[in-house]
PDB file of all heavy atoms in Angstrom:
ATOM      1  N   ALA A   1       0.814  -1.209   0.000  1.00 89.00           N
ATOM      2  CA  ALA A   1       0.000   0.000   0.000  1.00 89.00           C
ATOM      3  C   ALA A   1       0.850   1.262   0.000  1.00 89.00           C
ATOM      4  O   ALA A   1       0.310   2.374  -0.040  1.00 89.00           O
ATOM      5  CB  ALA A   1      -0.930   0.007   1.204  1.00 89.00           C
ATOM      6  N   GLY A   2       2.173   1.094   0.079  1.00 88.00           N
ATOM      7  CA  GLY A   2       3.047   2.262   0.111  1.00 88.00           C
ATOM      8  C   GLY A   2       3.079   2.950   1.465  1.00 88.00           C
ATOM      9  O   GLY A   2       3.522   4.095   1.579  1.00 88.00           O
ATOM     10  N   GLN A   3       2.612   2.253   2.514  1.00 92.00           N
ATOM     11  CA  GLN A   3       2.588   2.830   3.864  1.00 92.00           C
ATOM     12  C   GLN A   3       3.919   2.550   4.559  1.00 92.00           C
ATOM     13  O   GLN A   3       3.994   1.929   5.617  1.00 92.00           O
ATOM     14  CB  GLN A   3       1.423   2.239   4.660  1.00 92.00           C
ATOM     15  CG  GLN A   3       0.057   2.544   4.059  1.00 92.00           C
ATOM     16  CD  GLN A   3      -1.068   1.766   4.722  1.00 92.00           C
ATOM     17  OE1 GLN A   3      -0.834   0.817   5.479  1.00 92.00           O
ATOM     18  NE2 GLN A   3      -2.306   2.149   4.428  1.00 92.00           N
ATOM     19  N   HIS A   4       4.982   3.037   3.964  1.00 93.00           N
ATOM     20  CA  HIS A   4       6.318   2.677   4.437  1.00 93.00           C
ATOM     21  C   HIS A   4       6.694   3.426   5.711  1.00 93.00           C
ATOM     22  O   HIS A   4       7.327   2.851   6.603  1.00 93.00           O
ATOM     23  CB  HIS A   4       7.332   2.933   3.323  1.00 93.00           C
ATOM     24  CG  HIS A   4       6.996   2.223   2.049  1.00 93.00           C
ATOM     25  ND1 HIS A   4       7.145   2.772   0.797  1.00 93.00           N
ATOM     26  CD2 HIS A   4       6.469   0.985   1.829  1.00 93.00           C
ATOM     27  CE1 HIS A   4       6.758   1.917  -0.125  1.00 93.00           C
ATOM     28  NE2 HIS A   4       6.332   0.826   0.481  1.00 93.00           N
ATOM     29  N   GLN A   5       6.307   4.694   5.800  1.00 93.00           N
ATOM     30  CA  GLN A   5       6.616   5.450   7.014  1.00 93.00           C
ATOM     31  C   GLN A   5       5.855   4.869   8.208  1.00 93.00           C
ATOM     32  O   GLN A   5       6.434   4.682   9.286  1.00 93.00           O
ATOM     33  CB  GLN A   5       6.239   6.916   6.818  1.00 93.00           C
ATOM     34  CG  GLN A   5       6.796   7.839   7.888  1.00 93.00           C
ATOM     35  CD  GLN A   5       8.309   7.966   7.812  1.00 93.00           C
ATOM     36  OE1 GLN A   5       8.863   8.370   6.808  1.00 93.00           O
ATOM     37  NE2 GLN A   5       8.986   7.605   8.882  1.00 93.00           N
ATOM     38  N   GLU A   6       4.557   4.579   7.995  1.00 95.00           N
ATOM     39  CA  GLU A   6       3.760   4.000   9.079  1.00 95.00           C
ATOM     40  C   GLU A   6       4.277   2.618   9.459  1.00 95.00           C
ATOM     41  O   GLU A   6       4.348   2.277  10.651  1.00 95.00           O
ATOM     42  CB  GLU A   6       2.295   3.895   8.651  1.00 95.00           C
ATOM     43  CG  GLU A   6       1.642   5.238   8.348  1.00 95.00           C
ATOM     44  CD  GLU A   6       1.824   5.676   6.896  1.00 95.00           C
ATOM     45  OE1 GLU A   6       2.783   5.184   6.250  1.00 95.00           O
ATOM     46  OE2 GLU A   6       1.035   6.496   6.409  1.00 95.00           O
ATOM     47  N   GLY A   7       4.646   1.812   8.434  1.00 94.00           N
ATOM     48  CA  GLY A   7       5.154   0.473   8.711  1.00 94.00           C
ATOM     49  C   GLY A   7       6.455   0.499   9.481  1.00 94.00           C
ATOM     50  O   GLY A   7       6.656  -0.292  10.418  1.00 94.00           O
ATOM     51  N   LEU A   8       7.342   1.426   9.107  1.00 93.00           N
ATOM     52  CA  LEU A   8       8.622   1.518   9.814  1.00 93.00           C
ATOM     53  C   LEU A   8       8.395   1.936  11.258  1.00 93.00           C
ATOM     54  O   LEU A   8       8.996   1.365  12.185  1.00 93.00           O
ATOM     55  CB  LEU A   8       9.526   2.517   9.099  1.00 93.00           C
ATOM     56  CG  LEU A   8      10.894   2.763   9.746  1.00 93.00           C
ATOM     57  CD1 LEU A   8      11.698   1.468   9.838  1.00 93.00           C
ATOM     58  CD2 LEU A   8      11.683   3.811   8.955  1.00 93.00           C
ATOM     59  N   ALA A   9       7.534   2.920  11.489  1.00 94.00           N
ATOM     60  CA  ALA A   9       7.268   3.378  12.851  1.00 94.00           C
ATOM     61  C   ALA A   9       6.678   2.251  13.702  1.00 94.00           C
ATOM     62  O   ALA A   9       7.051   2.071  14.870  1.00 94.00           O
ATOM     63  CB  ALA A   9       6.307   4.573  12.822  1.00 94.00           C
ATOM     64  N   TRP A  10       5.761   1.481  13.116  1.00 93.00           N
ATOM     65  CA  TRP A  10       5.134   0.369  13.841  1.00 93.00           C
ATOM     66  C   TRP A  10       6.181  -0.678  14.232  1.00 93.00           C
ATOM     67  O   TRP A  10       6.190  -1.177  15.354  1.00 93.00           O
ATOM     68  CB  TRP A  10       4.061  -0.244  12.952  1.00 93.00           C
ATOM     69  CG  TRP A  10       3.146  -1.219  13.634  1.00 93.00           C
ATOM     70  CD1 TRP A  10       1.995  -0.958  14.296  1.00 93.00           C
ATOM     71  CD2 TRP A  10       3.330  -2.649  13.702  1.00 93.00           C
ATOM     72  NE1 TRP A  10       1.430  -2.115  14.775  1.00 93.00           N
ATOM     73  CE2 TRP A  10       2.229  -3.181  14.421  1.00 93.00           C
ATOM     74  CE3 TRP A  10       4.298  -3.524  13.226  1.00 93.00           C
ATOM     75  CZ2 TRP A  10       2.087  -4.528  14.682  1.00 93.00           C
ATOM     76  CZ3 TRP A  10       4.157  -4.884  13.483  1.00 93.00           C
ATOM     77  CH2 TRP A  10       3.056  -5.366  14.191  1.00 93.00           C
ATOM     78  N   CYS A  11       7.067  -0.999  13.283  1.00 91.00           N
ATOM     79  CA  CYS A  11       8.116  -1.992  13.561  1.00 91.00           C
ATOM     80  C   CYS A  11       9.086  -1.489  14.626  1.00 91.00           C
ATOM     81  O   CYS A  11       9.469  -2.235  15.547  1.00 91.00           O
ATOM     82  CB  CYS A  11       8.881  -2.320  12.288  1.00 91.00           C
ATOM     83  SG  CYS A  11       7.946  -3.240  11.057  1.00 91.00           S
ATOM     84  N   LEU A  12       9.491  -0.224  14.507  1.00 90.00           N
ATOM     85  CA  LEU A  12      10.460   0.316  15.461  1.00 90.00           C
ATOM     86  C   LEU A  12       9.885   0.347  16.877  1.00 90.00           C
ATOM     87  O   LEU A  12      10.606   0.106  17.850  1.00 90.00           O
ATOM     88  CB  LEU A  12      10.881   1.722  15.039  1.00 90.00           C
ATOM     89  CG  LEU A  12      11.780   1.808  13.794  1.00 90.00           C
ATOM     90  CD1 LEU A  12      12.048   3.259  13.418  1.00 90.00           C
ATOM     91  CD2 LEU A  12      13.089   1.068  14.020  1.00 90.00           C
ATOM     92  N   GLU A  13       8.594   0.635  16.984  1.00 89.00           N
ATOM     93  CA  GLU A  13       7.967   0.655  18.310  1.00 89.00           C
ATOM     94  C   GLU A  13       8.061  -0.712  18.975  1.00 89.00           C
ATOM     95  O   GLU A  13       8.383  -0.811  20.164  1.00 89.00           O
ATOM     96  CB  GLU A  13       6.512   1.084  18.178  1.00 89.00           C
ATOM     97  CG  GLU A  13       5.774   1.138  19.506  1.00 89.00           C
ATOM     98  CD  GLU A  13       4.318   1.529  19.342  1.00 89.00           C
ATOM     99  OE1 GLU A  13       3.924   1.930  18.226  1.00 89.00           O
ATOM    100  OE2 GLU A  13       3.559   1.410  20.326  1.00 89.00           O
ATOM    101  N   ARG A  14       7.817  -1.754  18.213  1.00 87.00           N
ATOM    102  CA  ARG A  14       7.867  -3.102  18.786  1.00 87.00           C
ATOM    103  C   ARG A  14       9.296  -3.602  18.962  1.00 87.00           C
ATOM    104  O   ARG A  14       9.587  -4.329  19.905  1.00 87.00           O
ATOM    105  CB  ARG A  14       7.052  -4.051  17.906  1.00 87.00           C
ATOM    106  CG  ARG A  14       5.574  -3.960  18.224  1.00 87.00           C
ATOM    107  CD  ARG A  14       4.669  -4.116  17.032  1.00 87.00           C
ATOM    108  NE  ARG A  14       3.279  -3.816  17.424  1.00 87.00           N
ATOM    109  CZ  ARG A  14       2.816  -2.567  17.512  1.00 87.00           C
ATOM    110  NH1 ARG A  14       3.601  -1.537  17.241  1.00 87.00           N
ATOM    111  NH2 ARG A  14       1.553  -2.358  17.890  1.00 87.00           N
ATOM    112  N   LEU A  15      10.168  -3.200  18.063  1.00 85.00           N
ATOM    113  CA  LEU A  15      11.567  -3.587  18.222  1.00 85.00           C
ATOM    114  C   LEU A  15      12.204  -2.900  19.419  1.00 85.00           C
ATOM    115  O   LEU A  15      13.174  -3.406  19.988  1.00 85.00           O
ATOM    116  CB  LEU A  15      12.346  -3.253  16.943  1.00 85.00           C
ATOM    117  CG  LEU A  15      12.063  -4.153  15.737  1.00 85.00           C
ATOM    118  CD1 LEU A  15      12.677  -3.572  14.474  1.00 85.00           C
ATOM    119  CD2 LEU A  15      12.583  -5.563  15.972  1.00 85.00           C
ATOM    120  N   GLY A  16      11.666  -1.751  19.802  1.00 80.00           N
ATOM    121  CA  GLY A  16      12.185  -1.073  20.982  1.00 80.00           C
ATOM    122  C   GLY A  16      11.934  -1.850  22.259  1.00 80.00           C
ATOM    123  O   GLY A  16      12.652  -1.682  23.249  1.00 80.00           O
ATOM    124  N   GLN A  17      10.934  -2.716  22.215  1.00 77.00           N
ATOM    125  CA  GLN A  17      10.632  -3.535  23.396  1.00 77.00           C
ATOM    126  C   GLN A  17      11.529  -4.761  23.462  1.00 77.00           C
ATOM    127  O   GLN A  17      11.934  -5.186  24.534  1.00 77.00           O
ATOM    128  CB  GLN A  17       9.158  -3.950  23.360  1.00 77.00           C
ATOM    129  CG  GLN A  17       8.198  -2.759  23.295  1.00 77.00           C
ATOM    130  CD  GLN A  17       6.780  -3.170  22.919  1.00 77.00           C
ATOM    131  OE1 GLN A  17       6.470  -4.353  22.848  1.00 77.00           O
ATOM    132  NE2 GLN A  17       5.921  -2.180  22.673  1.00 77.00           N
ATOM    133  N   SER A  18      11.832  -5.374  22.305  1.00 68.00           N
ATOM    134  CA  SER A  18      12.723  -6.556  22.266  1.00 68.00           C
ATOM    135  C   SER A  18      13.465  -6.516  20.931  1.00 68.00           C
ATOM    136  O   SER A  18      13.054  -7.163  19.979  1.00 68.00           O
ATOM    137  CB  SER A  18      11.912  -7.846  22.407  1.00 68.00           C
ATOM    138  OG  SER A  18      10.851  -7.860  21.463  1.00 68.00           O
ATOM    139  N   PRO A  19      14.535  -5.717  20.813  1.00 57.00           N
ATOM    140  CA  PRO A  19      15.172  -5.402  19.539  1.00 57.00           C
ATOM    141  C   PRO A  19      15.593  -6.585  18.683  1.00 57.00           C
ATOM    142  O   PRO A  19      15.524  -6.507  17.472  1.00 57.00           O
ATOM    143  CB  PRO A  19      16.404  -4.586  19.962  1.00 57.00           C
ATOM    144  CG  PRO A  19      16.055  -4.027  21.295  1.00 57.00           C
ATOM    145  CD  PRO A  19      15.176  -5.061  21.943  1.00 57.00           C
ATOM    146  N   ALA A  20      16.038  -7.657  19.278  1.00 57.00           N
ATOM    147  CA  ALA A  20      16.594  -8.737  18.453  1.00 57.00           C
ATOM    148  C   ALA A  20      15.727  -9.988  18.445  1.00 57.00           C
ATOM    149  O   ALA A  20      16.171 -11.043  18.032  1.00 57.00           O
ATOM    150  CB  ALA A  20      17.999  -9.085  18.949  1.00 57.00           C
ATOM    151  N   SER A  21      14.514  -9.871  18.919  1.00 60.00           N
ATOM    152  CA  SER A  21      13.736 -11.097  19.099  1.00 60.00           C
ATOM    153  C   SER A  21      12.922 -11.513  17.892  1.00 60.00           C
ATOM    154  O   SER A  21      12.458 -12.639  17.826  1.00 60.00           O
ATOM    155  CB  SER A  21      12.786 -10.925  20.305  1.00 60.00           C
ATOM    156  OG  SER A  21      11.858  -9.880  20.012  1.00 60.00           O
ATOM    157  N   ASP A  22      12.742 -10.629  16.938  1.00 79.00           N
ATOM    158  CA  ASP A  22      11.822 -10.930  15.839  1.00 79.00           C
ATOM    159  C   ASP A  22      12.478 -10.592  14.506  1.00 79.00           C
ATOM    160  O   ASP A  22      12.532  -9.432  14.094  1.00 79.00           O
ATOM    161  CB  ASP A  22      10.524 -10.132  16.018  1.00 79.00           C
ATOM    162  CG  ASP A  22       9.405 -10.655  15.120  1.00 79.00           C
ATOM    163  OD1 ASP A  22       9.728 -11.153  14.025  1.00 79.00           O
ATOM    164  OD2 ASP A  22       8.231 -10.566  15.517  1.00 79.00           O
ATOM    165  N   LEU A  23      12.989 -11.625  13.818  1.00 84.00           N
ATOM    166  CA  LEU A  23      13.653 -11.398  12.532  1.00 84.00           C
ATOM    167  C   LEU A  23      12.687 -10.880  11.484  1.00 84.00           C
ATOM    168  O   LEU A  23      13.083 -10.115  10.587  1.00 84.00           O
ATOM    169  CB  LEU A  23      14.308 -12.699  12.039  1.00 84.00           C
ATOM    170  CG  LEU A  23      15.593 -13.121  12.736  1.00 84.00           C
ATOM    171  CD1 LEU A  23      16.092 -14.442  12.163  1.00 84.00           C
ATOM    172  CD2 LEU A  23      16.665 -12.052  12.573  1.00 84.00           C
ATOM    173  N   LEU A  24      11.411 -11.280  11.567  1.00 87.00           N
ATOM    174  CA  LEU A  24      10.440 -10.797  10.593  1.00 87.00           C
ATOM    175  C   LEU A  24      10.243  -9.289  10.735  1.00 87.00           C
ATOM    176  O   LEU A  24      10.186  -8.552   9.739  1.00 87.00           O
ATOM    177  CB  LEU A  24       9.112 -11.529  10.769  1.00 87.00           C
ATOM    178  CG  LEU A  24       8.031 -11.192   9.726  1.00 87.00           C
ATOM    179  CD1 LEU A  24       8.480 -11.625   8.325  1.00 87.00           C
ATOM    180  CD2 LEU A  24       6.706 -11.849  10.081  1.00 87.00           C
ATOM    181  N   LEU A  25      10.140  -8.814  11.985  1.00 89.00           N
ATOM    182  CA  LEU A  25      10.016  -7.383  12.216  1.00 89.00           C
ATOM    183  C   LEU A  25      11.234  -6.632  11.690  1.00 89.00           C
ATOM    184  O   LEU A  25      11.126  -5.587  11.045  1.00 89.00           O
ATOM    185  CB  LEU A  25       9.845  -7.096  13.706  1.00 89.00           C
ATOM    186  CG  LEU A  25       8.427  -7.149  14.297  1.00 89.00           C
ATOM    187  CD1 LEU A  25       8.481  -6.866  15.785  1.00 89.00           C
ATOM    188  CD2 LEU A  25       7.522  -6.156  13.601  1.00 89.00           C
ATOM    189  N   LEU A  26      12.420  -7.176  11.956  1.00 90.00           N
ATOM    190  CA  LEU A  26      13.651  -6.546  11.490  1.00 90.00           C
ATOM    191  C   LEU A  26      13.704  -6.514   9.973  1.00 90.00           C
ATOM    192  O   LEU A  26      14.112  -5.516   9.370  1.00 90.00           O
ATOM    193  CB  LEU A  26      14.866  -7.303  12.037  1.00 90.00           C
ATOM    194  CG  LEU A  26      15.203  -7.066  13.506  1.00 90.00           C
ATOM    195  CD1 LEU A  26      16.201  -8.090  13.999  1.00 90.00           C
ATOM    196  CD2 LEU A  26      15.746  -5.649  13.710  1.00 90.00           C
ATOM    197  N   ARG A  27      13.269  -7.592   9.354  1.00 91.00           N
ATOM    198  CA  ARG A  27      13.308  -7.669   7.896  1.00 91.00           C
ATOM    199  C   ARG A  27      12.408  -6.600   7.272  1.00 91.00           C
ATOM    200  O   ARG A  27      12.817  -5.860   6.356  1.00 91.00           O
ATOM    201  CB  ARG A  27      12.876  -9.067   7.457  1.00 91.00           C
ATOM    202  CG  ARG A  27      12.738  -9.223   5.944  1.00 91.00           C
ATOM    203  CD  ARG A  27      11.286  -9.244   5.551  1.00 91.00           C
ATOM    204  NE  ARG A  27      11.117  -8.991   4.129  1.00 91.00           N
ATOM    205  CZ  ARG A  27      10.123  -9.448   3.423  1.00 91.00           C
ATOM    206  NH1 ARG A  27       9.199 -10.166   4.002  1.00 91.00           N
ATOM    207  NH2 ARG A  27      10.001  -9.157   2.161  1.00 91.00           N
ATOM    208  N   TYR A  28      11.160  -6.495   7.755  1.00 92.00           N
ATOM    209  CA  TYR A  28      10.253  -5.504   7.185  1.00 92.00           C
ATOM    210  C   TYR A  28      10.681  -4.088   7.544  1.00 92.00           C
ATOM    211  O   TYR A  28      10.557  -3.166   6.729  1.00 92.00           O
ATOM    212  CB  TYR A  28       8.814  -5.768   7.633  1.00 92.00           C
ATOM    213  CG  TYR A  28       8.097  -6.727   6.727  1.00 92.00           C
ATOM    214  CD1 TYR A  28       7.915  -8.050   7.091  1.00 92.00           C
ATOM    215  CD2 TYR A  28       7.617  -6.310   5.488  1.00 92.00           C
ATOM    216  CE1 TYR A  28       7.266  -8.942   6.245  1.00 92.00           C
ATOM    217  CE2 TYR A  28       6.969  -7.193   4.643  1.00 92.00           C
ATOM    218  CZ  TYR A  28       6.797  -8.506   5.018  1.00 92.00           C
ATOM    219  OH  TYR A  28       6.163  -9.387   4.177  1.00 92.00           O
ATOM    220  N   ALA A  29      11.190  -3.908   8.755  1.00 92.00           N
ATOM    221  CA  ALA A  29      11.662  -2.574   9.141  1.00 92.00           C
ATOM    222  C   ALA A  29      12.780  -2.123   8.205  1.00 92.00           C
ATOM    223  O   ALA A  29      12.804  -0.966   7.753  1.00 92.00           O
ATOM    224  CB  ALA A  29      12.142  -2.590  10.590  1.00 92.00           C
ATOM    225  N   LEU A  30      13.695  -3.030   7.898  1.00 92.00           N
ATOM    226  CA  LEU A  30      14.791  -2.690   6.996  1.00 92.00           C
ATOM    227  C   LEU A  30      14.274  -2.409   5.583  1.00 92.00           C
ATOM    228  O   LEU A  30      14.736  -1.484   4.905  1.00 92.00           O
ATOM    229  CB  LEU A  30      15.824  -3.819   6.971  1.00 92.00           C
ATOM    230  CG  LEU A  30      17.046  -3.601   6.059  1.00 92.00           C
ATOM    231  CD1 LEU A  30      17.759  -2.298   6.409  1.00 92.00           C
ATOM    232  CD2 LEU A  30      17.997  -4.784   6.162  1.00 92.00           C
ATOM    233  N   GLU A  31      13.297  -3.179   5.138  1.00 92.00           N
ATOM    234  CA  GLU A  31      12.753  -2.947   3.802  1.00 92.00           C
ATOM    235  C   GLU A  31      12.017  -1.608   3.739  1.00 92.00           C
ATOM    236  O   GLU A  31      12.136  -0.866   2.748  1.00 92.00           O
ATOM    237  CB  GLU A  31      11.820  -4.086   3.396  1.00 92.00           C
ATOM    238  CG  GLU A  31      11.419  -4.023   1.925  1.00 92.00           C
ATOM    239  CD  GLU A  31      10.755  -5.295   1.428  1.00 92.00           C
ATOM    240  OE1 GLU A  31      10.276  -6.089   2.271  1.00 92.00           O
ATOM    241  OE2 GLU A  31      10.713  -5.490   0.209  1.00 92.00           O
ATOM    242  N   PHE A  32      11.270  -1.282   4.781  1.00 93.00           N
ATOM    243  CA  PHE A  32      10.615   0.025   4.823  1.00 93.00           C
ATOM    244  C   PHE A  32      11.662   1.140   4.806  1.00 93.00           C
ATOM    245  O   PHE A  32      11.495   2.156   4.118  1.00 93.00           O
ATOM    246  CB  PHE A  32       9.743   0.153   6.074  1.00 93.00           C
ATOM    247  CG  PHE A  32       8.498  -0.695   6.065  1.00 93.00           C
ATOM    248  CD1 PHE A  32       8.089  -1.386   7.200  1.00 93.00           C
ATOM    249  CD2 PHE A  32       7.723  -0.794   4.919  1.00 93.00           C
ATOM    250  CE1 PHE A  32       6.933  -2.161   7.202  1.00 93.00           C
ATOM    251  CE2 PHE A  32       6.560  -1.566   4.903  1.00 93.00           C
ATOM    252  CZ  PHE A  32       6.173  -2.259   6.045  1.00 93.00           C
ATOM    253  N   ALA A  33      12.721   0.957   5.583  1.00 93.00           N
ATOM    254  CA  ALA A  33      13.779   1.975   5.628  1.00 93.00           C
ATOM    255  C   ALA A  33      14.421   2.145   4.252  1.00 93.00           C
ATOM    256  O   ALA A  33      14.728   3.271   3.833  1.00 93.00           O
ATOM    257  CB  ALA A  33      14.824   1.586   6.670  1.00 93.00           C
ATOM    258  N   LEU A  34      14.612   1.040   3.563  1.00 90.00           N
ATOM    259  CA  LEU A  34      15.165   1.108   2.205  1.00 90.00           C
ATOM    260  C   LEU A  34      14.257   1.901   1.279  1.00 90.00           C
ATOM    261  O   LEU A  34      14.720   2.718   0.475  1.00 90.00           O
ATOM    262  CB  LEU A  34      15.351  -0.314   1.660  1.00 90.00           C
ATOM    263  CG  LEU A  34      16.752  -0.915   1.678  1.00 90.00           C
ATOM    264  CD1 LEU A  34      16.691  -2.389   1.271  1.00 90.00           C
ATOM    265  CD2 LEU A  34      17.675  -0.160   0.735  1.00 90.00           C
ATOM    266  N   GLU A  35      12.968   1.646   1.354  1.00 88.00           N
ATOM    267  CA  GLU A  35      12.019   2.359   0.515  1.00 88.00           C
ATOM    268  C   GLU A  35      12.061   3.861   0.785  1.00 88.00           C
ATOM    269  O   GLU A  35      11.868   4.669  -0.130  1.00 88.00           O
ATOM    270  CB  GLU A  35      10.593   1.843   0.751  1.00 88.00           C
ATOM    271  CG  GLU A  35      10.354   0.405   0.339  1.00 88.00           C
ATOM    272  CD  GLU A  35      10.133   0.270  -1.173  1.00 88.00           C
ATOM    273  OE1 GLU A  35      10.177   1.282  -1.885  1.00 88.00           O
ATOM    274  OE2 GLU A  35       9.920  -0.871  -1.623  1.00 88.00           O
ATOM    275  N   LEU A  36      12.342   4.226   2.035  1.00 87.00           N
ATOM    276  CA  LEU A  36      12.334   5.633   2.442  1.00 87.00           C
ATOM    277  C   LEU A  36      13.701   6.279   2.338  1.00 87.00           C
ATOM    278  O   LEU A  36      13.844   7.479   2.621  1.00 87.00           O
ATOM    279  CB  LEU A  36      11.819   5.746   3.881  1.00 87.00           C
ATOM    280  CG  LEU A  36      10.367   5.288   4.114  1.00 87.00           C
ATOM    281  CD1 LEU A  36      10.093   5.112   5.596  1.00 87.00           C
ATOM    282  CD2 LEU A  36       9.401   6.309   3.508  1.00 87.00           C
ATOM    283  N   GLY A  37      14.720   5.501   1.964  1.00 84.00           N
ATOM    284  CA  GLY A  37      16.075   6.040   1.911  1.00 84.00           C
ATOM    285  C   GLY A  37      16.677   6.261   3.279  1.00 84.00           C
ATOM    286  O   GLY A  37      17.593   7.085   3.436  1.00 84.00           O
ATOM    287  N   GLN A  38      16.193   5.537   4.279  1.00 90.00           N
ATOM    288  CA  GLN A  38      16.662   5.712   5.661  1.00 90.00           C
ATOM    289  C   GLN A  38      17.430   4.488   6.158  1.00 90.00           C
ATOM    290  O   GLN A  38      17.550   4.271   7.364  1.00 90.00           O
ATOM    291  CB  GLN A  38      15.463   5.981   6.575  1.00 90.00           C
ATOM    292  CG  GLN A  38      14.681   7.237   6.209  1.00 90.00           C
ATOM    293  CD  GLN A  38      13.419   7.409   7.046  1.00 90.00           C
ATOM    294  OE1 GLN A  38      13.262   6.776   8.097  1.00 90.00           O
ATOM    295  NE2 GLN A  38      12.503   8.258   6.584  1.00 90.00           N
ATOM    296  N   GLU A  39      17.966   3.684   5.226  1.00 90.00           N
ATOM    297  CA  GLU A  39      18.625   2.451   5.652  1.00 90.00           C
ATOM    298  C   GLU A  39      19.889   2.712   6.464  1.00 90.00           C
ATOM    299  O   GLU A  39      20.245   1.937   7.364  1.00 90.00           O
ATOM    300  CB  GLU A  39      18.939   1.570   4.443  1.00 90.00           C
ATOM    301  CG  GLU A  39      19.969   2.130   3.467  1.00 90.00           C
ATOM    302  CD  GLU A  39      19.378   3.105   2.472  1.00 90.00           C
ATOM    303  OE1 GLU A  39      18.169   3.402   2.548  1.00 90.00           O
ATOM    304  OE2 GLU A  39      20.151   3.569   1.604  1.00 90.00           O
ATOM    305  N   GLY A  40      20.604   3.820   6.167  1.00 89.00           N
ATOM    306  CA  GLY A  40      21.821   4.128   6.919  1.00 89.00           C
ATOM    307  C   GLY A  40      21.523   4.365   8.382  1.00 89.00           C
ATOM    308  O   GLY A  40      22.196   3.813   9.268  1.00 89.00           O
ATOM    309  N   ALA A  41      20.518   5.187   8.655  1.00 90.00           N
ATOM    310  CA  ALA A  41      20.141   5.466  10.039  1.00 90.00           C
ATOM    311  C   ALA A  41      19.636   4.206  10.734  1.00 90.00           C
ATOM    312  O   ALA A  41      19.909   3.986  11.921  1.00 90.00           O
ATOM    313  CB  ALA A  41      19.062   6.552  10.068  1.00 90.00           C
TER     314      ALA A  41
END
């Protein structure tokens, strides 16, 4: 749907609770960041 900013924010909120526990969350968060040009950060 192109909701990359919302998707990244949602993933980061949950990763903040357990950063390394969910590879699926990390994968989508990274893909959203790539779409937004924020992969470096």
Side-chain angles (χ1 to χ4, degrees):
Q3 298 170 347
H4 305 140
Q5 193 68 59
E6 298 88 338
L8 178 59
W10 191 88
C11 291
L12 289 176
E13 180 182 351
R14 278 144 188 81
L15 287 169
Q17 303 166 8
S18 52
S21 63
D22 194 329
L23 285 178
L24 185 64
L25 274 179
L26 284 167
R27 174 255 163 152
Y28 272 102
L30 180 56
E31 190 167 19
F32 289 138
L34 259 173
E35 295 280 1
L36 297 166
Q38 300 174 16
E39 66 277 3

